[in-house]
């Protein structure tokens, strides 16, 4: 039993004992009626007293008719004893009975004191460790980042050069403010790091702390929010008071959208705890009192939900976008994460970077870690290019499920389905190259065709979108052509879902439908929690909705017709890919090209002579959702 539980049970035991003593400590005088001493003497003289009890300060008598009377005495009165002896009244002497009233008072107060102490103790325990008690609700939970947390510098951050330059200027301002002040420049009050998850926003903030050499306080946006109204605002005040004592310093608020969401959404009460916290944060950042030397750095991946007052100059003077890295950035990030990994001679970070478009920094860290784990599992001393390729497939498509039992019929159906995706992807214009096709179950998919772009893409043309629709519908068309309309399976469910989403976006958002025109009909898909969707009335008429559905259906049907034409005209190539998948289960893009030339794939020997125990590598990052064309049975794919 730990100390906390022991203290709780001890308090309960004291409470029970105190109540018992208080109840049992009362004397018979408590139930007796008060009387004058002369009245007691008169009753004794008249023979109406059956017995008596003499105390230090009182006498209690019981009359012959069972009445109890009590009167005060001055000590053990010998005169009274004499009267009782003379009249033949039996009596007893109790020297402590006079103190019973005082003991009763003490023991009646003791339970109350125990209850108050017990409640106070529990409130301290509910507040957790770190010395925070019941009276410290409003204290800031910001932690001062020190060297023991691991010093991070800009050398540890790669792939976000522009963001580093913006933050480097803040670091220089903290180190040498006169360099900017002599030209009239003022130190920025805040910098907001904006970008998707895993791009290194928090890592950048830690690098600023490592470079600046000033106190660095870190806190999460959710740490301000509490069930008690006013606590969040109090914590904001305390945080800035703490920062003022350490100025110049940096405060970093991670996930600021937890406390900085837009006010006045029209839902619920306006005077809630979160809004009070945000109001106090706005005042501290740019109010009547200047917080000189305090720079606020915040990070979020939801800038669209932040309150406009939070984003104006004077509060967050700079909004720094931290996006996914390009091919050069990915190569630099890979080199950072490969520092402590023993690599084989065939590992080329540039080749890996070219094959990982759209990867964030966290994805690349996870890729390197998965490759190291694969090499360790295979008993190798170094990590080779083969491990990086296998790790990339695992991250993109999910882990293989070779233990899953598939019947020959399902295997054949999956092969023709995926071959349909592959042949369409290889023939339609402006399509990304096929990276790999497999009928080995991966993740939640029974099979998959994955495409990877040759270069980083920032936009998509209409011809690329229509080609994408044909590729998505290729699996469904393949089942229909090979096995007949009545034998088409539900394996194309996710293909149809993705195609519908793409076609609807083409019509309602990007203006690719002639009958609809370049009008945005998807603008009222606002977030309900902001009150946008509830406060907007639908501006799409019934006739327009019907036209939108017709255009969406037309685009998908056109994609199916194109896929059917390709598979009909190139049936021999389609069949070659399907038979190759049945034989080899997994084919790379190069192997598919060799099959179409009539050559059998040559599989390299993956055994490594340089085997042995591999170094331990820590797990980094999280697994990425599967990415690629939908395959048979793929219940939740991501479009490539």
């Amino acid at each position: 039993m730990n100390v906390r539980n022991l203290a709780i049970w001890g308090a309960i035991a004291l409470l029970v004992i105190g109540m018992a003593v208080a109840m049992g400590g009362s004397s018979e005088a408590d139930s007796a009626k008060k009387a004058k001493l002369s009245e007691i003497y008169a009753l004794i003289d008249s023979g109406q007293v059956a017995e008596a009890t003499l105390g230090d300060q009182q006498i209690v008598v019981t009359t012959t008719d069972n009445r109890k009377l009590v009167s005060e005495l001055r000590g053990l009165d010998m005169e009274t004893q004499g009267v009782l002896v003379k009249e033949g009244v039996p009596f007893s002497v109790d020297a402590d009975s006079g103190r019973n009233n005082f003991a009763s008072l003490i023991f009646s107060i003791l339970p109350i004191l125990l209850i108050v102490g017990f409640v106070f103790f529990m409130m301290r325990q509910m507040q957790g460790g770190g010395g925070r008690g019941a009276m410290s609700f409003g204290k800031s939970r910001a932690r001062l980042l020190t060297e023991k947390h691991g010093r991070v510098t800009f050398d540890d951050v790669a792939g976000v050069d522009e963001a580093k330059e913006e933050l480097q200027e803040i670091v220089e301002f903290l180190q040498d403010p006169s360099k900017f002040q002599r030209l009239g420049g003022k130190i920025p009050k805040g910098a907001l790091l904006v970008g998707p998850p895993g791009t290194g926003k928090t890592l950048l903030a830690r690098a600023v702390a490592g470079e600046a050499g000033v106190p660095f306080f870190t806190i999460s946006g959710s740490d301000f929010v509490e069930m008690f109204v006013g606590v969040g605002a109090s914590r904001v005040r305390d945080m800035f008071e703490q920062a003022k004592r350490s100025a110049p310093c940096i405060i970093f608020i991670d996930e600021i959208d937890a406390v900085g969401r837009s006010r006045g959404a029209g839902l619920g009460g306006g005077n809630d705890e979160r809004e009070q916290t945000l109001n106090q944060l706005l005042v501290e950042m740019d109010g009547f009192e200047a917080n000189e030397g305090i720079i606020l750095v915040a990070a979020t991946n939801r800038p669209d939900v932040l309150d406009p007052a939070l984003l104006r100059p004077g509060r967050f003077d700079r909004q720094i976008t931290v996006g996914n890295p390009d091919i050069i950035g990915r190569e630099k990030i890979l080199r950072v994460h490969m520092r402590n990994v023993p690599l084989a001679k065939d590992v080329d970070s540039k080749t890996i970077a070219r094959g990982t478009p759209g990867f964030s920094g966290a994805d690349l860290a996870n890729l390197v870690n998965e490759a190291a784990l694969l090499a360790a599992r295979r008993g190798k001393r170094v990590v080779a290019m083969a491990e990086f390729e296998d790790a990339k497939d695992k991250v993109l498509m999910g882990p293989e499920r070779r233990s899953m039992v598939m019947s020959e019929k399902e295997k054949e159906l999956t092969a023709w389905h995926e071959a349909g995706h592959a042949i369409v992807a290889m023939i339609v214009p402006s399509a990304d190259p096929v990276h790999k096709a497999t009928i080995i179950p991966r993740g939640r998919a029974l099979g998959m065709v994955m495409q990877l772009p040759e270069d980083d893409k920032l936009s998509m043309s209409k011809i690329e979108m229509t080609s994408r629709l044909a590729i998505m519908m290729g699996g469904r068309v393949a089942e229909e052509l090979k096995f007949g309309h009545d034998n088409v399976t539900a394996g194309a469910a996710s293909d149809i879902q993705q195609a519908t989403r793409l076609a609807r976006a083409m019509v309602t958002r990007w203006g690719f439908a002639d009958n609809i025109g370049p009008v945005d009909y998807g603008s009222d898909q606002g977030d309900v929690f902001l009150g946008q969707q509830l406060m907007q009335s639908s501006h799409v008429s019934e006739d327009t909705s019907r036209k939108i559905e017709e255009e969406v259906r037309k685009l998908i049907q056109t994609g199916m017709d194109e896929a059917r034409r390709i598979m009909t005209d190139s049936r021999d190539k389609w069949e070659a890919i399907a038979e190759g998948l049945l034989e080899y289960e997994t084919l790379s893009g190069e192997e598919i090209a060799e099959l179409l030339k009539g050559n059998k794939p040559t599989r390299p020997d993956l055994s490594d002579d340089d085997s042995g125990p591999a170094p331990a590598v820590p797990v980094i990052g999280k697994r990425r959702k599967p990415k690629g064309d939908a395959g048979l049975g793929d219940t939740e794919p991501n479009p490539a």
Side-chain angles (χ1 to χ4, degrees):
M1 183 179 293
N2 57 32
V3 177
R4 176 182 173 184
N5 292 336
L6 188 63
I8 292 174
W9 285 108
I12 294 174
L14 286 174
L15 177 62
V16 173
I17 292 172
M19 294 179 67
V21 172
M23 294 175 63
S26 60
S27 67
E28 61 178 346
D30 294 338
S31 59
K33 182 179 179 181
K34 289 184 178 181
K36 295 181 180 180
L37 186 60
S38 59
E39 295 177 0
I40 298 292
Y41 280 163
L43 291 173
I44 294 173
D45 292 340
S46 63
Q48 298 183 39
V49 175
E51 60 179 359
T53 300
L54 289 174
D56 188 34
Q57 296 179 354
Q58 63 184 7
I59 179 173
V60 182
V61 299
T62 303
T63 64
T64 55
D65 56 355
N66 289 326
R67 288 183 298 140
K68 288 186 180 293
L69 301 174
V70 61
S71 180
E72 294 183 358
L73 289 176
R74 294 181 180 178
L76 294 173
D77 196 334
M78 299 302 295
E79 180 183 351
T80 304
Q81 293 185 34
V83 172
L84 292 172
V85 171
K86 179 181 177 181
E87 297 297 333
V89 177
F91 68 92
S92 61
V93 178
D94 184 5
D96 294 331
S97 64
R99 291 190 289 269
N100 281 339
N101 286 337
F102 178 74
S104 177
L105 177 64
I106 293 297
F107 284 122
S108 63
I109 296 175
L110 181 61
I112 299 176
L113 296 177
L114 287 174
I115 292 173
V116 172
F118 179 71
V119 171
F120 185 79
F121 171 78
M122 291 303 296
M123 289 182 69
R124 286 180 61 88
Q125 294 298 320
M126 290 170 61
Q127 289 304 298
R132 290 188 168 88
M135 298 294 106
S136 63
F137 267 133
K139 296 298 182 182
S140 170
R141 294 186 176 181
R143 296 184 300 114
L144 179 63
L145 203 65
T146 59
E147 291 288 339
K148 71 178 182 179
H149 295 96
R151 186 170 182 265
V152 178
T153 65
F154 282 140
D155 293 335
D156 301 309
V157 183
V160 283
D161 295 338
E162 293 82 2
K164 284 168 62 174
E165 289 177 5
E166 292 283 338
L167 293 172
Q168 181 68 48
E169 191 172 302
I170 293 178
V171 171
E172 291 179 2
F173 210 120
L174 288 170
Q175 293 174 340
D176 185 16
S178 60
K179 174 181 176 181
F180 301 89
Q181 290 172 346
R182 63 171 174 261
L183 297 176
K186 296 182 179 179
I187 187 170
K189 292 187 176 181
L192 180 65
L193 304 178
V194 177
T199 52
K201 299 183 293 295
T202 305
L203 185 65
L204 267 172
R206 292 190 62 186
V208 171
E211 293 283 345
V214 297
F216 187 88
F217 297 93
T218 176
I219 190 172
S220 171
S222 60
D223 286 336
F224 293 108
V225 182
E226 193 61 73
M227 63 180 292
F228 301 103
V229 176
V231 171
S234 176
R235 286 177 179 169
V236 171
R237 286 191 294 269
D238 186 70
M239 179 181 68
F240 276 88
E241 287 296 328
Q242 187 179 357
K244 287 177 185 177
R245 294 191 292 269
S246 302
C249 65
I250 297 173
I251 298 175
F252 175 60
I253 303 179
D254 202 5
E255 305 295 346
I256 194 174
D257 49 277
V259 71
R261 293 179 183 268
S262 292
R263 298 165 293 177
L267 300 177
N271 192 28
D272 63 2
E273 163 68 358
R274 184 185 54 77
E275 289 197 4
Q276 289 192 25
T277 306
L278 175 58
N279 291 339
Q280 186 62 42
L281 182 62
L282 295 175
V283 171
E284 293 289 347
M285 289 184 70
D286 188 23
F288 281 103
E289 286 191 31
N291 292 317
E292 296 295 337
I294 301 176
I295 295 179
L296 190 65
V297 180
T300 180
N301 52 21
R302 295 295 309 277
D304 54 308
V305 305
L306 295 180
D307 193 276
L310 197 63
L311 302 177
R312 73 162 176 82
R315 291 198 173 107
F316 282 116
D317 300 276
R318 297 184 178 182
Q319 295 186 34
I320 303 171
T321 301
V322 187
N324 286 326
D326 56 14
I327 184 172
I328 299 175
R330 291 195 299 273
E331 184 181 356
K332 293 179 180 178
I333 293 173
L334 285 169
R335 288 178 178 174
V336 169
H337 293 297
M338 288 177 177
R339 287 175 182 172
N340 300 321
V341 177
L343 302 175
K345 295 180 180 179
D346 65 339
V347 174
D348 184 5
S349 58
K350 184 176 294 185
T351 301
I352 300 173
R354 188 180 299 113
T356 52
F359 273 45
S360 66
D363 293 328
L364 294 170
N366 187 35
L367 174 66
V368 175
N369 181 70
E370 288 288 350
L373 295 179
L374 280 174
R377 197 175 301 130
R378 294 169 181 174
K380 293 186 175 183
R381 297 181 184 273
V382 294
V383 184
M385 198 67 178
E387 279 71 50
F388 280 101
E389 286 296 325
D390 292 342
K392 182 172 66 174
D393 292 344
K394 184 177 180 180
V395 171
L396 286 172
M397 300 189 294
E400 290 184 351
R401 293 188 296 162
R402 290 187 176 272
S403 60
M404 184 175 180
V405 178
M406 290 178 63
S407 66
E408 288 300 322
K409 182 178 179 181
E410 288 177 329
K411 191 174 180 181
E412 182 183 10
L413 188 67
T414 305
W416 286 93
H417 181 107
E418 302 307 331
H421 283 307
I423 191 62
V424 176
M426 297 180 74
I427 294 179
V428 291
S430 301
D432 295 328
V434 175
H435 172 68
K436 189 163 291 188
T438 182
I439 59 172
I440 297 175
R442 281 182 175 269
R444 285 176 286 181
L446 296 182
M448 190 174 295
V449 172
M450 186 175 64
Q451 297 171 257
L452 287 179
E454 294 178 329
D455 302 307
D456 294 329
K457 288 188 176 182
L458 302 178
S459 61
M460 186 184 295
S461 64
K462 181 179 179 181
I463 190 170
E464 289 175 320
M465 295 179 193
T466 54
S467 296
R468 191 92 192 111
L469 289 173
I471 296 169
M472 290 175 179
M473 302 309 297
R476 171 66 176 257
V477 174
E479 292 184 24
E480 184 179 330
L481 291 178
K482 178 62 179 177
F483 302 102
H485 187 273
D486 293 337
N487 293 318
V488 173
T489 69
S494 56
D495 296 328
I496 296 173
Q497 183 184 48
Q498 292 179 48
T500 303
R501 289 176 180 173
L502 177 58
R504 187 173 298 278
M506 291 174 66
V507 174
T508 61
R509 295 174 57 193
W510 301 325
F512 289 148
D514 296 334
N515 292 340
I516 302 299
V519 180
D520 182 9
Y521 288 106
S523 59
D524 58 348
Q525 300 298 316
D527 295 307
V528 173
F529 68 87
L530 287 179
Q532 296 172 0
Q533 195 176 50
L534 296 182
M535 297 174 66
Q536 289 181 349
S537 59
S538 177
H539 57 274
V540 181
S541 66
E542 184 177 345
D543 181 61
T544 303
S545 297
R546 180 179 53 80
K547 290 181 179 180
I548 289 174
E549 296 300 328
E550 290 177 354
E551 290 294 330
V552 170
R553 190 180 300 110
K554 186 188 299 183
L555 284 170
I556 295 176
Q557 187 61 50
T558 301
M560 288 188 69
D561 294 341
E562 178 65 10
R564 185 176 288 106
R565 182 193 66 80
I566 290 173
M567 274 179 273
T568 302
D569 294 345
S570 306
R571 190 175 183 94
D572 55 339
K573 295 181 180 180
W574 172 36
E575 290 178 351
I577 297 174
E579 291 171 358
L581 286 172
L582 286 170
E583 181 177 356
Y584 298 102
E585 292 186 332
T586 299
L587 295 172
S588 66
E590 294 79 7
E591 290 173 336
I592 292 176
E594 288 297 316
L595 274 176
L596 297 183
K597 295 177 182 178
N599 302 323
K600 286 191 174 183
T602 55
R603 295 296 172 93
D605 185 8
L606 295 181
S607 62
D608 195 333
D609 295 332
D610 192 15
S611 60
V617 181
V619 176
I620 306 173
K622 296 186 289 185
R623 178 174 294 131
R624 186 183 177 91
K625 284 187 177 181
K627 188 174 183 182
D629 276 333
L632 184 66
D634 190 358
T635 57
E636 192 182 7
N638 254 343

